[in-house]
């Protein structure tokens, strides 16, 4: 898992800006983040029984639900907010992944 690439995409999504990015940038960043989020969710995190991680997965499935994601007809703000939501969640998953990796290194 390339956590550096995830971090860069999350930073792009969550950066504080004076103006909202153009819609093509929002859509491209969201696609990138969705790909990272799916990959992170497919990883074995070793915390299957942890309630906090289970809640994180529920939130991940909710965010990835295509019926809830913006379409081409959605406003730029709706797309922007979705990008930020996916970015924040991908960042949280990356944190859990880092913690699991560190735990495995410490145990091994």
């Amino acid at each position: 898992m390339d956590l550096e690439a995830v971090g860069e995409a999350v930073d792009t999504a969550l950066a504080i800006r004076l103006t909202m990015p153009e819609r093509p940038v929002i859509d491209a960043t969201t696609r990138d983040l969705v790909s990272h989020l799916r990959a992170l969710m497919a990883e074995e995190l070793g915390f299957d029984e942890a309630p906090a991680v289970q809640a994180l997965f529920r939130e991940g499935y909710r965010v990835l639900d295509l019926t809830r994601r913006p379409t081409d007809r959605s406003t730029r703000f709706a797309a922007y907010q979705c990008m930020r939501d996916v970015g924040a969640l991908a960042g949280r998953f990356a944190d859990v992944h880092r913690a699991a990796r560190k735990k495995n290194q410490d145990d091994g």
Side-chain angles (χ1 to χ4, degrees), residues 31-105:
R31 280 191 302 275
D32 190 30
L33 287 164
V34 164
S35 175
H36 289 308
L37 182 58
R38 284 187 175 134
L40 286 163
M41 290 176 71
E43 291 287 318
E44 175 55 51
L45 299 177
F47 296 114
D48 294 340
E49 301 303 317
V53 175
Q54 291 173 352
L56 196 58
F57 271 90
R58 282 192 297 276
E59 180 66 12
Y61 293 127
R62 186 191 68 77
V63 166
L64 292 175
D65 182 357
L66 290 175
T67 63
R68 303 186 98 162
R69 293 215 325 251
T71 66
D72 292 341
R73 302 182 99 183
S74 300
T75 65
R76 185 165 61 151
F77 181 77
Y80 178 72
Q81 190 59 49
C82 176
M83 176 189 73
R84 292 184 57 81
D85 290 346
V86 176
L89 190 58
R92 289 170 45 209
F93 263 98
D95 290 344
V96 170
H97 190 279
R98 279 187 202 93
R101 183 186 288 174
K102 182 174 180 347
K103 183 182 181 309
N104 288 340
Q105 289 173 347

Side-chain angles (χ1 to χ4, degrees), residues 19-34:
T19 61
M20 197 180 324
E22 294 299 319
R23 183 64 188 262
V25 173
I26 293 169
D27 291 343
T29 302
T30 302
R31 280 191 302 275
D32 190 30
L33 287 164
V34 164

